[in-house]
Amino acid sequence: MNYSDIFDGALNRLHEDGNYRTFINIERRKGAFPHAIWRHPDGSARPVTVWCGNDYLGMGQNPVVLEAMHNALDATGAGSGGTRNISGTTVFHRELEGELADLHRKEEALIFTSAYIANDATLSTLHKLLPGLIIYSDGLNHASMIEGIRRNGGQKRIFRHNDLDHLRELLVADDPAAPKLIAFESIYSMDGDFGPIEAICDLADEFNAMTYLDEVHAVGMYGPRGGGVAERDGLMGRLDIINGTLGKAYGVMGGYIASSARICDAIRSYAPGFIFTTSLPPAVAAGAAASVRYLKTHQELRDVHQSQARTLKMRLKGLGLPIIDHGSHIVPLHVGDPVHCKQLSDMLLEEYGIYVQPINFPTVPRGTERLRFTPSPVHGPGEIDALVGALDKLWSHCALNRAELSA
């Protein structure tokens, strides 16, 4: 067997389909975001404006966050020194968990190295704790939720995206006595649409099911203190487990669940993804705690963020571009072809210094390829003007190429 040929074949298929992913070497500059430096393959350094980052509120350069990280680094050094169970729990980790529990009005929170790991570890462990558990999963749930449910090894049901009638059908068909959990998201990151949280909670009450809500693309940005869509809608108390991230609106790194003390203790005690992983560096935990605390009292950043998203959508719609608009802060531009999606991304970068990655299969279904823009409070009128002008010029060019190829 020629192993090299097998790997080459797998990579060649990605190239042929237009789905091969390339990394763009970006140097963020503190205080300058969304402006950064692109280290071009030819060795040159070129200025770019980042339009696809998940540092939604610019908290990665907030002085309060940086000061907390500097202080913790000077006090403790670089790493945590171990897993949470073996020397890797510091006052900074417990402080962060306290801030997160308070944010979601839960008894406890448990931090992980990423929200992906938090989803995977929690969902894959629940079957150990609840034998016979059936998980009902929205059809567009994130890959981390899908993987956790798959590794769970128990029964699962996939309901059509946001389809409450289908979810009800599945719940009705199962044993009323079986333990049940409904897993879904508050904001689905590729289309920017909202999950029907209240209606799902109603079904959960009716069928005695637990609820698991991923708020990754909402924490920090929705609700009066940044607790997410569930906080905005007054529903946090109806949710059993909330998952969130510290690497998007909070601008640092890590993920977490917030829940009852009993559930958090059970996951802490049984989830291999928590037990056997080195904990976050204390400086990262300190910075994340400072960011969570700061955003609890800075609604103005959320207001500007929403205003910027509305402005960009309005401007792009004015050009007649196929924007997907479900009312959230996410601005997807539907392209519908992987090759042209990559071409448009490359031209924006090379010709206009605008960095936005193409979103292709398997992140989105084939035929729904898109560019996904993430405006923030630090994207000003000048940056928006430059993006709109570039898309106005390039969209017709790419449309002409598509027409020629299909003729």
Side-chain angles (χ1 to χ4, degrees):
M1 179 178 291
N2 190 320
Y3 293 105
S4 295
D5 285 350
I6 293 173
F7 289 114
D8 286 342
L11 293 171
N12 287 336
R13 287 192 295 275
L14 291 177
H15 283 287
E16 291 166 2
D17 293 341
N19 290 323
Y20 182 77
R21 303 179 186 210
T22 58
F23 290 158
I24 306 299
N25 194 355
I26 297 294
E27 290 183 18
R28 284 168 57 112
R29 298 296 175 94
K30 182 182 71 174
F33 188 77
H35 300 288
I37 299 298
W38 171 34
R39 292 295 177 181
H40 192 273
D42 68 10
S44 63
R46 305 184 188 182
V48 295
T49 302
V50 178
W51 271 102
C52 58
N54 285 335
D55 186 357
Y56 288 127
L57 301 179
M59 290 300 292
Q61 59 185 1
N62 186 288
V64 171
V65 175
L66 300 182
E67 181 183 11
M69 296 185 74
H70 279 296
N71 290 341
L73 181 66
D74 290 340
T76 67
S80 69
T83 66
R84 287 293 299 275
N85 296 309
I86 304 175
S87 81
T89 294
T90 69
V91 293
F92 300 106
H93 295 87
R94 292 303 295 145
E95 177 190 15
L96 173 55
E97 288 172 337
E99 290 288 352
L100 292 167
D102 171 75
L103 175 68
H104 294 290
R105 304 302 191 197
K106 298 296 185 186
E107 293 177 339
E108 280 289 349
L110 193 65
I111 55 174
F112 296 77
T113 51
S114 73
Y116 188 107
I117 298 299
N119 271 334
D120 184 10
T122 303
L123 288 167
S124 65
T125 300
L126 287 172
H127 187 257
K128 301 176 187 176
L129 303 167
L130 298 165
L133 175 67
I134 304 171
I135 297 182
Y136 303 81
S137 177
D138 187 283
L140 289 187
N141 275 343
H142 189 265
S144 58
M145 301 173 77
I146 294 170
E147 181 64 13
I149 293 168
R150 184 192 66 79
R151 293 201 310 108
N152 176 286
Q155 298 184 71
K156 65 177 183 292
R157 312 282 187 260
I158 311 301
F159 62 94
R160 291 185 293 271
H161 177 54
N162 280 351
D163 190 331
L164 296 170
D165 291 335
H166 189 214
L167 175 57
R168 172 179 283 278
E169 289 175 15
L170 296 173
L171 288 163
V172 167
D174 282 320
D175 180 358
K180 301 175 178 66
L181 179 139
I182 306 172
F184 62 110
E185 302 184 35
S186 62
I187 297 179
Y188 291 84
S189 62
M190 289 300 108
D191 283 352
D193 58 333
F194 293 86
I197 301 174
E198 184 172 19
I200 288 179
C201 287
D202 289 343
L203 284 173
D205 289 346
E206 181 179 350
F207 290 92
N208 192 27
M210 295 177 64
T211 49
Y212 186 104
L213 178 66
D214 182 307
E215 288 259 39
V216 159
H217 288 275
V219 289
M221 296 173 287
Y222 294 81
R225 300 198 310 153
V229 178
E231 184 194 31
R232 183 197 69 180
D233 296 346
L235 298 169
M236 287 194 300
R238 299 187 65 186
L239 294 155
D240 293 294
I241 305 173
I242 296 174
N243 168 275
T245 185
L246 303 165
K248 292 182 170 60
Y250 293 117
V252 192
M253 178 188 175
Y256 63 90
I257 60 167
S259 187
S260 68
R262 183 176 291 105
I263 289 175
C264 285
D265 195 17
I267 298 301
R268 178 190 72 84
S269 301
Y270 281 89
F274 178 85
I275 295 170
F276 298 106
T277 299
T278 298
S279 65
L280 288 173
V284 171
S291 186
V292 173
R293 188 163 49 245
Y294 182 91
L295 285 177
K296 289 177 181 177
T297 59
H298 283 78
Q299 179 62 33
E300 74 279 0
L301 278 178
R302 287 185 278 277
D303 292 340
V304 174
H305 183 227
Q306 291 293 323
S307 176
Q308 296 294 70
R310 286 192 298 269
T311 297
L312 181 59
K313 289 177 183 178
M314 179 185 68
R315 295 283 303 276
L316 295 180
K317 286 179 182 177
L319 297 178
L321 301 186
I323 294 297
I324 303 169
D325 185 4
H326 291 286
S328 74
H329 60 282
I330 294 169
V331 187
L333 172 60
H334 181 265
V335 179
D337 177 88
V339 174
H340 287 106
C341 197
K342 179 67 164 62
Q343 179 189 37
L344 192 56
S345 170
D346 289 345
M347 294 172 73
L348 283 167
L349 184 63
E350 289 278 0
E351 299 178 21
Y352 295 93
I354 292 171
Y355 173 44
V356 55
Q357 278 286 75
I359 308 294
N360 291 342
F361 179 84
T363 305
V364 295
R366 298 182 194 276
T368 70
E369 292 81 5
R370 67 200 63 185
L371 299 178
R372 177 181 173 274
F373 299 99
T374 54
S376 75
V378 293
H379 286 89
E383 286 81 13
I384 292 178
D385 286 344
L387 174 61
V388 171
L391 285 172
D392 189 22
K393 293 174 183 175
L394 291 180
W395 187 260
S396 57
H397 171 80
C398 288
L400 179 62
N401 283 350
R402 285 196 295 271
E404 290 174 350
L405 286 174
S406 61

